[in-house]
């Protein structure tokens, strides 16, 4: 099963992605984290763009995704979280999958997340300055020290309220057409993400198994 999981910042994509990847025994690829790792490991022209909440060019993001996808046997399935964010990215993925003779089963869209819930979920996220690992409010260790490498954690740079507003705008402008793109080809499955983690997980499974 090949799934993409899309939704606005703070919609719980990462949580649901990990649950679904465990449920279906398919690798989880968190594209947002990969992008952050890339700009973190390599101080480059993209860092300020991403920190201010803008999207990277489609071919750059797809390059990162392709490197990951190439590591797996796609016949066995995979889950991409936080990708695609634009129609261009969706098309690049479809072309790639066609060449690999596999197809995307479903685009799972976490819909209907109230603005308030998004701000609450995003407030309080921390990131490691050294390895780039991110921690949600609930995951932050009490001593604020990274569990992966022992460095002190700082609030995530792209989680400021101006940046969030900017990301929401970018999101709406570019990602809603992505939903339409999948809807036209009958691969969109939309889930009410304002409900509890357990409910959203159940709804998502039902959606995916139907598709
Ligand atoms: Zn670390």
């Amino acid at each position: 099963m090949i799934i993409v999981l899309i939704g606005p910042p703070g919609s719980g994509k990462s949580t649901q992605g990990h649950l679904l990847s465990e449920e279906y025994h398919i690798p989880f690829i968190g594209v947002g984290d990969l992008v952050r790792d890339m700009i973190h490991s390599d101080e480059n022209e993209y860092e300020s763009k991403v920190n201010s909440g803008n999207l990277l060019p489609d071919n750059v993001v797809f390059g990162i995704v392709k490197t990951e996808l190439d590591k797996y046997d796609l016949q066995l399935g995979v889950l991409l979280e936080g990708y695609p964010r634009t129609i261009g990215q969706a098309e690049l993925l479809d072309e790639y999958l066609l060449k690999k003779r596999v197809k995307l089963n479903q685009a799972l869209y976490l819909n209907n997340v109230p603005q308030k819930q998004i701000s609450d979920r995003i407030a309080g996220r921390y990131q490691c300055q050294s390895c780039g690992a991110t921690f949600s409010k609930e995951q932050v260790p009490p001593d604020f020290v990274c569990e992966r490498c022992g460095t002190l954690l700082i609030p995530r740079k792209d989680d400021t309220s101006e940046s969030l507003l900017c990301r929401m705008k970018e999101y709406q402008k570019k990602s809603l057409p992505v939903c339409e793109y999948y809807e036209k080809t009958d691969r969109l499955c939309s889930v009410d993400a304002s409900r509890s983690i357990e409910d959203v997980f159940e709804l998502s499974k039902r959606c995916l198994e139907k598709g």
Side-chain angles (χ1 to χ4, degrees):
M1 177 160 11
I2 297 182
I3 310 168
V4 297
L5 182 50
I6 51 182
S11 58
K13 290 191 294 289
S14 174
T15 305
Q16 295 299 331
H18 280 107
L19 289 171
L20 293 166
S21 125
E22 234 169 76
E23 176 77 15
Y24 297 117
H25 309 286
I26 53 178
F28 170 91
I29 301 180
V31 177
D33 283 338
L34 289 173
V35 169
R36 276 188 290 278
D37 282 350
M38 185 274 277
I39 58 167
H40 201 85
S41 64
D42 182 15
E43 292 271 325
N44 62 32
E45 52 180 313
Y46 300 122
E47 188 171 15
S48 62
K49 245 189 141 166
V50 170
N51 286 338
S52 59
N54 289 302
L55 297 180
L56 292 174
D58 289 341
N59 59 332
V60 174
V61 181
F62 183 69
I64 298 171
V65 170
K66 183 182 176 299
T67 305
E68 279 308 297
L69 289 175
D70 282 343
K71 294 178 187 167
Y72 298 105
D73 178 357
L74 297 181
Q75 303 289 346
L76 302 177
V78 71
L79 183 145
L80 279 176
E81 179 254 336
Y83 185 94
R85 294 193 176 193
T86 65
I87 290 188
Q89 291 180 9
E91 287 170 346
L92 286 168
L93 178 64
D94 274 343
E95 282 165 28
Y96 172 86
L97 294 177
L98 193 69
K99 267 184 236 154
K100 295 278 176 181
R101 297 174 192 282
V102 289
K103 68 177 179 66
L104 183 110
N105 299 80
Q106 290 287 341
L108 185 64
Y109 175 49
L110 298 185
N111 193 11
N112 198 31
V113 190
Q115 181 67 50
K116 171 86 175 71
Q117 184 176 330
I118 292 176
S119 331
D120 284 354
R121 280 191 190 170
I122 281 193
R125 290 205 294 203
Y126 276 74
Q127 181 166 34
C128 174
Q129 303 178 69
S130 173
C131 75
T134 58
F135 299 85
S136 71
K137 215 187 316 191
E138 293 76 26
Q139 296 166 328
V140 175
D143 54 0
F144 290 89
V145 167
C146 177
E147 288 162 345
R148 260 163 57 175
C149 73
T151 308
L152 204 63
L153 302 174
I154 52 166
R156 229 180 81 174
K157 274 191 211 150
D158 60 357
D159 280 348
T160 62
S161 53
E162 301 97 90
S163 155
L164 178 63
L165 202 66
C166 185
R167 274 195 286 161
M168 288 306 295
K169 278 191 196 146
E170 281 263 330
Y171 183 80
Q172 275 157 359
K173 197 169 71 195
K174 294 197 172 144
S175 298
L176 294 180
V178 171
C179 291
E180 285 165 19
Y181 175 86
Y182 287 123
E183 198 158 33
K184 269 187 221 152
T185 45
D186 204 22
R187 294 177 291 176
L188 185 74
C189 118
S190 184
V191 165
D192 179 358
S194 66
R195 303 177 57 172
S196 70
I197 290 176
E198 293 75 20
D199 283 359
V200 175
F201 180 51
E202 285 308 316
L203 290 170
S204 301
K205 279 196 297 185
R206 236 179 279 164
C207 221
L208 293 170
E209 281 160 21
K210 196 175 58 189

